Amino acid sequence: MKHKLGYLALPLLMAAAFTTQARADGETIAVFTKNQTNPFFQTVRVGADNMAKVLNAKTLQYIPTKPDSIPEQLSQIEDVVVKKPSAIVFTPVDYKAMVPGVEKINEAKIPVVNITDRSAGGKFLSFVGADDYSLGLETARFLLKTLGGKGNIVIIEGVKGSLTNVDRVRGFNDALKENAGAKLLASQPGNYQRLQALQVMENLMQSNSQIDGVLAANDAMAVGAIEALDGANRKAQVIGINGTKEAIDAIKSGKLLASGDYNGFAQGCLGTMMAIRSLRGQPVISEIVLKPTVITKDNYQPFDVPLEQRTCPTFEDAGKLGGK
Amino acid sequence: MTDITKEAMMPPRSFLSQDAIQVFYRLLAALLICAVLAVLSDSFLSLGNILNVLRQASLTFFIASGLTLVVLTAGLDLSVGANVALSACIAGTVIHKTGSPALGILAGLACGGIVGLLNGVMVTALRIPSFIATYGMLWVLNGLTYWYMAGETLHGFPAGFRQIGSGYLFGLPIPVYLLLVFLGIGTLFAQRTIWGQEIYAIGANPVAARLSGIPVARRLLLVYSVSGTMAGLASIIFLSRLNSAEADIGESLTLPAIAAVLIGGTSLFGGVGTVFGTFIGALILTLVLNGMNLLSVSANWQPLVTGIIVILAVWLDMKTRHRAQ
């Protein structure tokens, strides 16, 4: 009898193990990003897809058709709550205004990971993001080191009042304070737009005959400023933030001094990884704030790889990259 | 047709008409702003800065010049900025794929023109109010552009092509020459050709225009196509000046273009205004932003001041026109 039971139990146990395995695969992860226009979020989405593929899960991308639209993301949340994905990886289009949306997800008991912009409220499994303040601080420090700690500097800001801009510019300013020889000539907005940054730079060059360094709050504005400098046959060291492909190309050709890596790819990978691990009952890291990397002509190579060919960090790497 | 109705329908557009007086006021306003800025900032009156202002105003002007014709017919084209974005992305792709700037320029102009033509078809054949038709088109274009670019940017174009937007000829930026050419063509077209006169007539009174035998639908198709083609031209300048195309440039271009038309004295009710006025409008907008940059005025004031100027310009316009009548 005992033997018979044993024979019966073994295949049963094995079947049970297989079904657990089967149930653990094929989850659907809804990935929310802010817009379809900023290359940064494209890197986030590719990272999320990449990780989902490695772990045998699926992603569903939710992107507002109107960039950063609060009402649109809210209605996408309403749709998704009805559709019930296994988990959500979430970037709020506005860190304060989307809190009611996050609460809706919480009420529906769908596990959710917060990436990129830290939500002002709601319950999350985990947060994965970069630190805008240290990105600003480290890139500005690198620029000032290159200039020998002195020189005339201008800041081209992003959208006034946006979380990323406030922190990046605070980092820029703190690095300037560390260098008594550096003089801030102006801090004007380019609203993260290339054309606006170019025109602001053209105008600033008129009233300032010597500009040695430009701190731009994103790469598009940095490249806009470089176009303005080129047009006027003037030279200055320029830094940007985000580590876009365009910025890497500009670093290679020596036009851009450096860019701070915002690491969208890793954010997408790790956010998705945490969501899936939690669904499979594996431990997760509750907070990963990626350490800033200043991409320069000496270390750009790993960033000069097409997105599709990059590989996601492993769980072991995640801790080293900035887990808490 | 009696002389009186003819007079009411087609006011004479000589250079000393009421429009010329309006343009004169605006020129005066622009000069006043210049005088104030010259006192406040040493660098304002430098040759470099004046060329800057003209070059920066030119992009807004190209978009706004075609738009002026649309507004003259009492219509509106809200899709111009989105059209610039799509046309720039298409022109950029064609240059990358074929290596030929000429083909890229043609593609950009064609894309802009076709979008304009479609706007015209919606307004004339389907009789959708232009405000709604072009607003719908704005979404269609954004959708197409976002899908097509998928968050990427196109960048790096041949040096020869870059000359169009960034180059100089005899010390003047090339966009400034284009500005003068299109200012001349636009003014001559609107003031001195039968078609131009018919466009004013349609805006002043579309029913009377139709009854007097003006082919209203054909003229409207022309006007929307011109607006679209000018957006296509602006996309080429944009691409060449910035060395890159990205999907999200539209929104930042539409409102300044509409503002330039309104500050320039073209009435949203149609039939009144000039292309030259629009040029002054683009100039005033650029001067204000340039001045605030030179004086390091905080960023938050820039849109606020622009808004006040638009409101003031329209209000003054209604005041002075009322008195003239």
Side-chain angles (χ1 to χ4, degrees), chain A residues 61-142:
Chain A
Q61 301 287 351
Y62 287 87
I63 315 160
T65 55
K66 189 176 179 301
D68 300 9
S69 163
I70 293 168
E72 216 178 318
Q73 191 173 60
L74 208 55
S75 55
Q76 287 180 337
I77 289 177
E78 283 160 2
D79 295 347
V80 112
V81 163
V82 176
K83 232 177 157 171
K84 280 241 174 225
S86 320
I88 294 175
V89 173
F90 187 73
T91 318
V93 291
D94 183 293
Y95 73 107
K96 280 186 203 150
M98 289 316 296
V99 173
V102 177
E103 283 164 355
K104 273 191 186 135
I105 299 173
N106 290 156
E107 276 164 33
K109 306 231 181 308
I110 302 171
V112 52
V113 174
N114 184 195
I115 61 166
T116 308
D117 288 358
R118 199 189 287 267
S119 171
K123 286 193 287 290
F124 293 96
L125 286 172
S126 169
F127 172 77
V128 182
D131 179 356
D132 284 296
Y133 170 76
S134 26
L135 273 170
L137 185 72
E138 293 304 331
T139 48
R141 274 180 178 162
F142 184 77

Side-chain angles (χ1 to χ4, degrees), chain A residues 36-37 39 42 65-67 160 186 188-189 193-196 198-200 202-204 206-207 227 246 249, chain B residues 43 46 48-49 52 55-56 146 150-151 155 162 241-244 246 248 290 293-294 296-297 299 302:
Chain A
Q36 220 163 356
T37 50
Q42 182 64 10
T65 55
K66 189 176 179 301
K160 277 266 184 191
Q188 288 285 315
Q193 298 268 347
R194 191 181 305 262
L195 176 67
Q196 288 179 36
L198 174 134
Q199 295 184 343
V200 164
E202 283 179 345
N203 294 341
L204 290 177
Q206 294 303 323
S207 43
E227 292 300 332
E246 187 179 17
D249 288 350
Chain B
S43 36
S46 68
N49 193 53
N52 256 349
R55 183 165 56 184
Q56 291 177 8
Y146 295 166
H155 61 99
R162 302 287 323 278
R241 184 151 140 74
L242 281 120
N243 201 19
S244 80
E246 51 196 338
D248 66 343
N290 173 266
N293 283 152
L294 291 188
S296 286
V297 176
Q302 299 192 352

Side-chain angles (χ1 to χ4, degrees), chain A residues 235-303:
Chain A
K235 290 262 178 296
Q237 300 286 6
V238 182
I239 63 113
I241 290 181
N242 276 354
T244 59
K245 180 176 183 308
E246 187 179 17
I248 306 297
D249 288 350
I251 289 169
K252 272 202 300 199
S253 66
K255 290 194 166 229
L256 184 68
L257 177 69
S259 176
D261 182 24
Y262 201 57
N263 225 331
F265 184 77
Q267 290 187 30
C269 291
L270 295 176
T272 309
M273 180 198 281
M274 294 311 148
I276 295 173
R277 285 181 68 91
S278 134
L279 290 172
R280 295 180 185 176
Q282 295 164 320
V284 298
I285 305 173
S286 65
E287 185 166 316
I288 303 174
V289 178
L290 299 164
K291 292 186 188 103
T293 309
V294 181
I295 309 171
T296 70
K297 65 176 187 329
D298 299 320
N299 69 350
Y300 72 81
Q301 288 86 352
F303 300 91

Side-chain angles (χ1 to χ4, degrees), chain A residues 151-174:
Chain A
N152 292 336
I153 312 292
V154 298
I155 293 176
I156 304 183
E157 299 189 28
V159 175
K160 277 266 184 191
S162 72
L163 198 56
T164 50
N165 184 61
V166 170
D167 287 347
R168 288 175 186 186
V169 171
R170 197 159 53 86
F172 288 162
N173 279 310
D174 284 356

